[in-house]
Structure formats: structure tokens, C-alpha cells
Amino acid sequence: MSVRVFGSVMLAAALIGLGCAPAAAQPESPSTTPPFTTPNTDTCPFKQAPAPAIDLSEVPAPGDPIPGPLAVPTDVVGGDTLAGCGVLTPAGSPPVPADISATSWVVSDLDTGQVLAAKDPHGRYRPASTIKILLSIVALRELDLDKTVVGTTADSDVEGTRVGIGPGGRYTNSQLMHALVMASGNDAAHAIAAQLGGDAATVAKMNEVAASLGARDTRAATPSGLDGPGMSSSAYDLALLYREAMRIPTFAELVHTEQFDFPGFPPDPRIPDDKDHPGFPIANDNQLLYNYDGALGGKTGFTDDARHTFVAGAERDGRRLGVTLMAAEVLPVRPWQQGARLLDYGFALPRAASIGTLSATQTGDGAAKKKSDSWPTNGSAAATLAAPPADSIEDHATTGSSSDADAARLAVIFVGSLLVLVLVLIAAALSRKRR
């Protein structure tokens, strides 16, 4: 076989491999490839504001005001020890696991509010979809879960991860909340925000609730967690918000649901000869739920600026702990695995261990307008998956993606390369016969 023919075959195989890969697959950011080093936060580089934006997602539109950084509280929320920025652990405790790439993290007790260990707990970082926890608190307080709304074009056209709301589809708020929390649907966030007065009004309500709970590092800029000017939170604040949300029985049920049947929608009038879109199951994208004994559920997030964010909890021996990660990468292990290691670390500490507390500010039982201890499930909330879905660290970035999608692409290319090798050997054998 000539070099030219060989090159053509190799190029064709490469194109086949690329074409067969999932459409969503994109190369991971270079920052997720070796060598990896955890950023040093000992000098509190993110005390006042997140790192500068890396793309246009946080650039205000013409005429929009540029918000200044949030004021840093005079008194450290949660205790003076939490003013530290490096790794903070109780005296005499063992070192934390070495394979934690999160720039900031907190391990806390969901029942007592004690902070057990942390790194840069009050550093301001972008929350990505973990801010949907705050949106959930607002929505569950105000919305009637049985109310039905009609999907709009604006819902279906929203940027980032979408669960699959279609124009003309009919959805209860219960179904929208499942889509918001389980599948991190930005279209569900848009549909919920529309009922709360629109994006601007919803963001204002989210920030009001955050302030009332003592989450002083948090400024929502979008309901969904898409990056926006001034967006920030902290590992401490996310721990605080998660603890508050878990006091709402419906939220606790949502994050613990593995699979849910989501309704379809009628033909899209914008698409010629479009047909009915049937309903489909959605799966919880938090892999800790499937892989950690006693997992309670939580929320994942990703944007180009935020990197990977993660919030989750677990129960062991009558003790409920929460873990939050910010600005994490998929190396050396995935964020949910980092969360698992930190939960193990927290459960191994004595019950009295503490370096601070989550804000004592609470708001009753946090019950939603629709007061009920059981979440409407359409008969599927308790269903389990026959096989857990592939690890999919979502979420919003236009250029970012799950690393499992990369793995699928590499697998396809590898198989294509093997086929090329077989073709080369066959061609070589035929060439020898001709001679």
C-alpha cells in the first residue's frame, strides 16, 4: 500500500471516529490534563471576588451596570477559624485525602451545623448549577406544586443544559422541580423563574433569601447558574444553603430520586412536519447517589469559569454530613469521588470535632406553599435505574462537557484505529500476492 493510500485510509478512519462520537462530546479544557496542581489559597486570593472571567459570559451587556464586589463581613461568618484560606481541620485530626483538586471545600454536619473541616471556606467562586439549590428554596416556598404551566419557545431556547421542555408542553411545577434538581435543566429554571416574576425578579428573591440565611458570600446573577456579572458564592454558603434546602421534605425527596418520568410535548410549529414528542425518563446526574452508601443526594454544576462544583450529603450511623466543592477538576479523581473521600474523612472524625458553625439563621421548617411530606411522583420517584447512568458532570458551558463524553470519543477513535490496522494488513497481504 502506498504512503498516500495509507494516509487517506488513516484520515478517513479518524473522521469516522470523530463523526461517530456523541454530538455533545468536546475536548476537556487543558486545565484538566496532567500535570495537575491544586491552586494555593493560603493568601486568600478569592476573598473579595471570584477570579477574572475567562470568556464573555460575565461581560455585562451595553448599558448594564457592572456590580462591584460583595462587601466582606467584618465578623467572620461561622467563626474566626473559618477566616483561614488553606486547609483547616480540628486540632489533632489526621491529614485530609491528598487527591482533592477542589480549590475550596467544606465538610459540615447537617443536623448540628458544625463545620468539621474546610479549605478556603469563604473564598468567592462561581457556583454554576449548584445555585439551583437557592432557586429551589425560593420556588418551594412560593409555587403551588400542583399548578400546570405551558412550555414556551423561550424555555426551549434557553442556553446550556436542557431537560427537554417543548413549546406547548404541559408541566406541573412538581415535574419542573424534578427537572431542575435531578437533570439541572436550565429550561426548567427559566419556566420556574417566569412564574416568580422573570429572571431579574427571581435573582432578587434568591439574593434576599441568601442574605436572610447568612450566606454573605453569595450573589446570584442568573436563576440557573449560568455565569453572569458579579456571580459568586462560597463553599461555606453552599453548605449553608444545602442544609436549609434539606430541611424541606420535598427537596430532600427530589435530590434522592434516581429516575423520573418527564412528559413530552406536541409538534414544534417551527419545525416542518414535526411530530409529537413522547415523554421520557430523566435520571439524577449526581453520581454519589449511586455509588456511596447512605447518600442523600445533592447537586452538580459546571461552567467554563466555575469549573466543577458539587454539593451532596450522606448519612451513616445516625449522623448526616454534607460536602461542598468549588473550582474542582476531574483529576486526580472526579468531583463526586472527591466528595466521597471528604465524607469518609468527616465520618471518621469524632462527633465533637468542629472548626466553626454554619449560620444559626434559619426560617422555620422551610415548607413549600404546597404543604406535604410526600412529593408528587407520578409513580416514578422511587424507581431505581436498572443500571446507573454514565458519570455525567454537567452542565452549562458552551465549550465544556462531561469527560465521559471524551472517553466515548476516544473509544470510538481507538476502535476505528484498530479497523485501519486490519485494513492495512489486508492491503499489504494482497499487495504481496500481486507481486
Side-chain angles (χ1 to χ4, degrees):
M1 177 180 287
S2 69
V3 174
R4 179 176 296 177
V5 173
F6 177 80
S8 299
V9 173
M10 289 295 289
L11 176 60
L15 291 174
I16 290 171
L18 292 173
C20 291
Q26 298 288 340
E28 282 285 350
S29 164
S31 63
T32 65
T33 57
F36 177 82
T37 56
T38 302
N40 188 331
T41 62
D42 291 344
T43 58
C44 303
F46 308 115
K47 183 175 183 179
Q48 290 193 330
I54 63 173
D55 56 29
L56 297 179
S57 65
E58 293 199 352
V59 177
D64 286 352
I66 302 176
L70 288 168
V72 178
T74 303
D75 297 327
V76 180
V77 180
D80 290 342
T81 301
L82 300 182
C85 305
V87 175
L88 309 171
T89 59
S93 61
V96 299
D99 50 0
I100 307 301
S101 70
T103 309
S104 174
W105 53 263
V106 163
V107 180
S108 60
D109 190 306
L110 295 178
D111 297 311
T112 68
Q114 297 302 106
V115 177
L116 307 183
K119 180 183 179 186
D120 197 14
H122 283 295
R124 274 89 185 267
Y125 300 88
R126 297 177 182 86
S129 260
T130 55
I131 205 67
K132 287 185 172 86
I133 295 173
L134 179 55
L135 175 61
S136 297
I137 295 172
V138 174
L140 291 173
R141 288 179 178 180
E142 296 196 21
L143 298 183
D144 180 352
L145 301 180
D146 293 332
K147 178 183 176 181
T148 297
V149 299
V150 179
T152 66
T153 300
D155 295 333
S156 63
D157 289 346
V158 72
E159 181 186 353
T161 299
R162 297 181 290 261
V163 68
I165 293 175
R170 298 177 63 81
Y171 311 94
T172 66
N173 280 326
S174 168
Q175 293 164 338
L176 293 178
M177 290 301 300
H178 278 86
L180 178 79
V181 174
M182 292 174 58
S184 203
N186 290 352
D187 46 359
H190 188 273
I192 290 168
Q195 299 179 70
L196 296 170
D199 283 2
T202 300
V203 166
K205 291 178 179 182
M206 292 166 67
N207 287 327
E208 182 180 354
V209 169
S212 73
L213 294 173
R216 303 283 295 277
D217 305 317
T218 298
R219 175 193 273 147
T222 63
S224 66
L226 285 168
D227 290 319
M231 176 83 85
S232 75
S233 190
S234 66
Y236 177 92
D237 280 10
L238 289 180
L240 182 68
L241 296 175
Y242 179 65
R243 184 187 183 213
E244 173 69 10
M246 289 296 285
R247 291 159 59 89
I248 307 174
T250 48
F251 180 87
E253 181 72 18
L254 280 172
V255 295
H256 195 66
T257 301
E258 294 183 4
Q259 183 170 301
F260 182 79
D261 290 333
F262 198 70
F265 56 93
D268 190 332
R270 300 171 298 174
I271 303 175
D273 301 322
D274 193 29
K275 302 185 185 317
D276 281 335
H277 299 262
F280 51 91
I282 57 176
N284 198 312
D285 60 18
N286 190 332
Q287 289 300 300
L288 192 79
L289 189 60
Y290 307 103
N291 296 287
Y292 192 86
D293 288 342
L296 300 172
K299 191 74 197 70
T300 63
F302 176 85
T303 69
D304 282 341
D305 283 5
R307 306 310 298 160
H308 295 280
T309 56
F310 184 82
V311 180
E315 183 172 8
R316 183 182 298 172
D317 298 328
R319 190 182 187 190
R320 298 191 312 151
L321 301 186
V323 61
T324 62
L325 310 173
M326 302 196 79
E329 297 294 351
V330 297
L331 294 176
V333 294
R334 299 182 184 281
W336 75 262
Q337 294 169 313
Q338 297 177 44
R341 284 157 171 72
L342 288 173
L343 285 171
D344 284 342
Y345 180 84
F347 281 121
L349 292 175
R351 288 179 181 266
S354 175
I355 59 170
T357 62
L358 299 178
S359 173
T361 305
Q362 294 291 342
T363 54
D365 62 2
K369 179 182 287 187
K370 180 68 175 179
K371 294 180 174 63
S372 173
D373 286 338
S374 61
W375 184 261
T377 64
N378 283 353
S380 63
T384 57
L385 297 175
D391 185 14
S392 54
I393 308 296
E394 47 92 29
D395 148 341
H396 315 290
T398 55
T399 58
S401 69
S402 165
S403 59
D404 278 336
D406 277 345
R409 177 185 291 258
L410 291 174
V412 172
I413 293 174
F414 177 74
V415 171
S417 299
L418 289 178
L419 291 174
V420 168
L421 179 58
V422 171
L423 290 173
V424 169
L425 293 174
I426 292 173
L430 291 174
S431 176
R432 284 195 298 270
K433 284 185 177 180
R434 291 193 189 101
R435 294 194 186 106

